[in-house]
Amino acid sequence: RRSGYSVSSGERKRMMVKPCACDDPAGVARAVLLGRAPPVAAAAGNAVLDVLEDGLLAHVHRVGDWFAAAVTGLHHPDVAGVRGAGLLRGIVLNREVAPRVVELALSQGWVLNAPRPDVLRVAPPLIIREADLEPFVNALPGWLERTDA
């Protein structure tokens, strides 16, 4: 198996399996942090690190940048811009209609929220593709226009 990254130093390092007598989840977490992970926790940690090494972070940045460019590219008068990084994005609006847009989006199966009256927060799964987000981008102008009524 490949190794992952040490959180503290950034050096390539594999989680080591060391003796641990932990019956509760908090004890397992402490054991992992102290480098005394039970075999199952060490295997799970290594599996996560393998996925990260396989390009998940690059994928997240690529799709997130595409999404921001697609929303900005709508040139909709109600969209002031897109902020954030990766797939955690905030669509900044020129009007305080975000809660109404959230209602409309939820009614069509899109999960997002409005942390501020003029911001839509979008946080899709990290494995989402551009093709999965394209219907959202296409629907956004309609939702914004329906807030005028």
Side-chain angles (χ1 to χ4, degrees):
R1 291 192 45 100
R2 291 171 296 191
S3 61
Y5 294 95
S6 167
V7 175
S8 61
S9 68
E11 299 172 0
R12 296 180 65 75
K13 179 179 175 184
R14 182 166 169 80
M15 293 183 117
M16 302 303 295
V17 178
K18 296 179 182 177
C20 173
C22 302
D23 294 331
D24 67 294
V28 171
R30 278 191 299 279
V32 169
L33 291 172
L34 296 173
R36 295 187 294 268
V40 172
N46 283 329
V48 168
L49 295 172
D50 287 346
V51 169
L52 293 176
E53 287 179 346
D54 285 341
L56 178 66
L57 295 178
H59 166 82
V60 165
H61 286 289
R62 181 179 50 77
V63 175
D65 291 344
W66 174 88
F67 178 72
V71 171
T72 303
L74 292 171
H75 301 291
H76 194 282
D78 286 335
V79 176
V82 179
R83 63 184 180 203
L87 285 169
L88 181 56
R89 297 291 177 149
I91 301 171
V92 182
L93 305 175
N94 287 320
R95 298 185 296 137
E96 294 187 349
V97 295
R100 177 69 180 130
V101 173
V102 167
E103 289 175 20
L104 295 168
L106 287 172
S107 72
Q108 293 183 15
W110 293 98
V111 179
L112 62 154
N113 66 2
R116 298 182 54 136
D118 62 341
V119 176
L120 298 169
R121 181 183 317 170
V122 182
L126 300 181
I127 59 170
I128 201 161
R129 300 167 301 167
E130 292 94 335
D132 300 323
L133 285 169
E134 195 167 355
F136 176 91
V137 173
N138 294 335
L140 182 60
W143 297 329
L144 291 167
E145 289 161 17
R146 287 177 59 191
T147 63
D148 291 335

